[in-house]
Amino acid sequence: MRPTSISSRVEGGAPAPRPPRGAAGDAPSARVWLSGPYVVLLLVALVVPLAHLGAISIFTHHPRLMFVAEPTLENYARLLQPYYLEVLVRTLRIGLVTTLCCMVLGVPLAYWLARCGPTALGIGLFLLVMPMMVSTVVRAFGWMIILGRNGVINQISVGLGFERWLFVMNTETAVVIALVQICLPLLVLPTLASIERIPRSLEEAAANLGASPVQLFRRVILPLAAPGIASGAVLAFLVAIGVVVTPALMGGRGSRMIGNEIYDQLITALNWPFASAMAIALIAIVLGAVIASRAAAAAAERFRREAARRRASAGGA
Amino acid sequence: MHGSSTALRVLATLVFAFLLAPLLVVVLVSFSPTPAFRIPTTEFSLDWYRKFFGMAQFRDGLFLVSLPVALASGSLATLLGTLAAVYLVRSGLASRAAMESFFMLPLLIPSILLGAALYLVAARMGVAGQAWTLVLGHTLLGVPYVIRVVGAGLVAIDPRLEEAAVNLGCTSRQAFLRVVLPLLKPAMFSGAIFAFIVSFSDVNLALFVAGPGTTTLPIHVFSQIFWEGDPTIAAASALQILVVGVLILTMQRLLKLRLSL
């Protein structure tokens, strides 16, 4: 198997079979009515509202008219105040810690799912996708019952004759715990898809050549699954930094994230320009994360090819 | 490999327990006989379910807002998403990858931002809080799921079937409608279920877009938790888990579909 064919399989999935020439969907007129409705929705409900939000972010706040069209950078300057900088840093920290925890727990789980056989895989996917699709409010509520002052864990400990010992509610730790549960499936699914494309023969070959399980995981599985892990990690990070409900219910005053500030400024304080500026800052972070992960995946790919070429030339010599 | 595969199995079990724990306690607490958020041990009761269906706010949130909005946006997303998936897979565009990223944009942009942006537009037009803004926003969130699922289904259909139909005298449009579309139905149904659930479970977008008359069930549960309600919120949550669980199970067992996105 040449490296190029693996990489094309890892990145693009199975090559699409060519439909017959002149099949439905080929004609230019068909293209318009196939893509048209969704493109219109994207423009009306996404592109225009986001552009509108971007415009408001440089306008001046007005207590009664909401805003007046006088350009200003004041809203962005306010983001640099210590309080909001702290919120931004906290949001990034929570996002990064959550993503790291998801990787540590999720990559081995994805590997196990990829190799556990069809029945276990079916059950495993159900147990993975079902919680993922349940509302985040419900899940935050569940964590409150488990982790609260009088929660399940403390009840058990009191019932066993000890003191209450768990006091994570209303801390950043509680927010991270709930977010890891939310983001984990988002990381596992793409990782699983890329691990499944690694031929088992490759693993067997590595094992026959004396690779230990840890070596196998580090030298074969991780590099080949890197694109899936990278795209899953980005998804997990994006979801983790864009939440309102989870920190509102579990974080308390000291763990507010940028989503809470955007919500309060928009709905309660009615400062639309400042809320918009924070939203634009969040979009900038999202873009930065996507670009960083693409760059990391490309670098990993280059490194892998380089190593393969070196190994091939060493083998030929 | 055997020693490490045991360790791996233990880890997988623990991670699954972690994933399911918050759902499990919610379901258990909903059967509690007392108003405390405790897991019942000896006595079980259905009081909180009775109270749920007795309270207009909860009942209306489920039957008059959440379910209709999810049905409307799920159907709309299935229609738009299927068309867009056929477009992506079939029109051999050079710019396909760029188009695909554009089409997946609603997955990439945090939904609180979509909600905030939609709210600002709706508020300026004086239509904030109306149900159709919620439907529009939820449709947007659902379409990428439909495109993924239907696109994968479309790629998996053997192109020779369509060729055979054309060779036997069908026009290309007939071949698509009579051969490809029926084969695509399970994927479309599964995309519709995903889009329905995305709307049914959404809070991030509804938090901004929903108004007093359009409080979805999750939003109502959120405000009740905030003001420390009683285990009725556990019953409301358990009902949501039930709906999602049954739908995912249907998708997986009835349609024999692989749950992957």
Side-chain angles (χ1 to χ4, degrees), chain A residues 14-20 22-26 30-35 37-39 41-50 52-53 56 67 104-105 108-109 111-113 119 121-139 141-146 150 152 155 177-178 180-181 184-186 189 192 196 203 213 216 234-235 238 241-245 248-249 258-259 262-263 266-267 270 272 276 278-280 282-283 286 290 294, chain B residues 1 4-5 8-9 11-13 15-16 18-23 25-26 29 37-39 80-84 86-87 89-93 96 99 101-121 123-124 136-137 139-140 143-145 147 155-157 159 162-163 166 172-173 176 194 197-198 200-204 207-208 218-219 221-222 225-226 233-234 236-238 240-241 244-245 248-249 251-253 258-261:
Chain A
R18 290 286 305 156
D26 252 2
R31 281 184 201 165
V32 172
W33 62 256
L34 283 174
S35 64
Y38 181 46
V39 170
L41 178 72
L42 278 171
L43 291 177
V44 169
L46 188 143
V47 175
V48 169
L50 283 179
H52 176 246
L53 181 137
I56 291 180
F67 62 89
V104 170
L105 296 176
L109 180 69
Y111 179 75
W112 181 77
L113 281 171
T119 315
L121 177 64
I123 298 169
L125 281 175
F126 177 78
L127 296 181
L128 197 65
V129 173
M130 204 275 276
M132 179 176 89
M133 302 306 287
V134 169
S135 181
T136 49
V137 170
V138 171
R139 294 189 266 166
F141 178 49
W143 284 119
M144 290 168 83
I145 299 175
I146 295 176
N150 295 312
V152 172
Q155 279 173 36
I177 290 175
V180 170
Q181 198 264 355
L184 192 59
L186 298 170
L189 287 175
L192 168 64
E196 278 182 321
E203 275 179 54
L216 174 77
V234 170
L235 266 183
L238 296 188
I241 60 171
V243 288
V244 180
V245 166
L249 290 178
I258 191 161
I262 293 176
Y263 181 81
L266 201 64
I267 307 290
L270 294 175
W272 290 5
S276 302
M278 284 193 284
I280 295 292
L282 186 52
I283 292 183
V286 166
V290 171
R294 296 249 161 104
Chain B
M1 227 12 234
S4 70
S5 79
L8 206 54
R9 195 176 311 134
L11 180 75
T13 312
V15 175
F16 276 124
F18 171 74
L19 278 173
L20 295 170
L23 307 188
V25 292
V26 164
V29 164
F37 292 111
R38 279 170 175 273
I39 291 177
L80 300 189
T82 304
L83 292 176
V86 172
Y87 167 80
V89 174
R90 287 306 177 83
S91 59
L93 281 179
R96 198 187 125 176
M99 260 334 239
S101 335
F102 179 53
F103 282 7
M104 289 298 151
L105 221 47
L107 279 190
L108 216 58
I109 296 174
S111 36
I112 57 164
L113 293 185
L114 295 177
L118 265 178
Y119 167 77
L120 283 174
V121 170
R124 282 201 58 197
L136 217 59
T139 305
L140 199 63
V143 173
Y145 287 85
I147 292 182
V155 166
I157 292 172
E162 212 174 340
E163 258 167 54
V166 171
S172 61
R173 176 166 302 196
F176 184 80
F194 268 123
I197 300 177
V198 165
F200 187 71
S201 294
D202 165 72
V203 269
N204 286 339
L207 208 52
F208 291 89
I219 296 293
V221 169
F222 175 55
I225 298 174
F226 217 82
I233 46 185
S237 303
Q240 292 180 61
I241 295 171
V244 172
I248 299 274
L249 203 63
M251 189 151 70
Q252 197 185 24
R253 296 285 127 178
R258 218 197 103 124
L259 292 175
S260 52
L261 285 167

Side-chain angles (χ1 to χ4, degrees), chain A residues 242-317:
Chain A
V243 288
V244 180
V245 166
T246 311
L249 290 178
M250 307 196 59
R253 294 292 316 169
S255 322
R256 292 169 62 82
M257 294 172 70
I258 191 161
N260 304 99
E261 300 297 340
I262 293 176
Y263 181 81
D264 279 2
Q265 290 296 327
L266 201 64
I267 307 290
T268 317
L270 294 175
N271 189 339
W272 290 5
F274 183 47
S276 302
M278 284 193 284
I280 295 292
L282 186 52
I283 292 183
I285 295 173
V286 166
L287 273 179
V290 171
I291 291 169
S293 99
R294 296 249 161 104
E301 176 67 20
R302 251 200 323 278
F303 178 77
R304 201 175 59 76
R305 287 211 181 140
E306 193 75 14
R309 195 170 333 117
R310 231 178 297 127
R311 233 171 289 140
S313 62

Side-chain angles (χ1 to χ4, degrees), chain B residues 39-53:
Chain B
I39 291 177
T41 43
T42 49
E43 249 181 286
F44 291 83
S45 88
L46 291 173
D47 289 353
W48 306 113
Y49 289 90
R50 249 173 251 130
K51 197 169 171 204
F52 173 88
F53 287 106

Side-chain angles (χ1 to χ4, degrees), chain B residues 145-234:
Chain B
Y145 287 85
V146 178
I147 292 182
R148 287 258 171 96
V149 176
V150 174
L154 203 57
V155 166
I157 292 172
D158 192 338
R160 283 173 299 184
L161 290 172
E162 212 174 340
E163 258 167 54
V166 171
N167 289 342
L168 290 171
C170 277
T171 66
S172 61
R173 176 166 302 196
Q174 281 173 329
F176 184 80
L177 293 179
R178 293 190 189 167
V179 177
V180 178
L181 211 55
L183 290 172
L184 208 54
K185 256 188 210 154
M188 285 171 65
F189 196 63
S190 150
I193 289 180
F194 268 123
F196 177 93
I197 300 177
V198 165
S199 165
F200 187 71
S201 294
D202 165 72
V203 269
N204 286 339
L205 190 135
L207 208 52
F208 291 89
V209 174
T214 50
T215 313
T216 62
L217 188 57
I219 296 293
H220 190 60
V221 169
F222 175 55
S223 57
Q224 290 292 307
I225 298 174
F226 217 82
W227 304 115
E228 299 194 1
D230 56 34
T232 315
I233 46 185

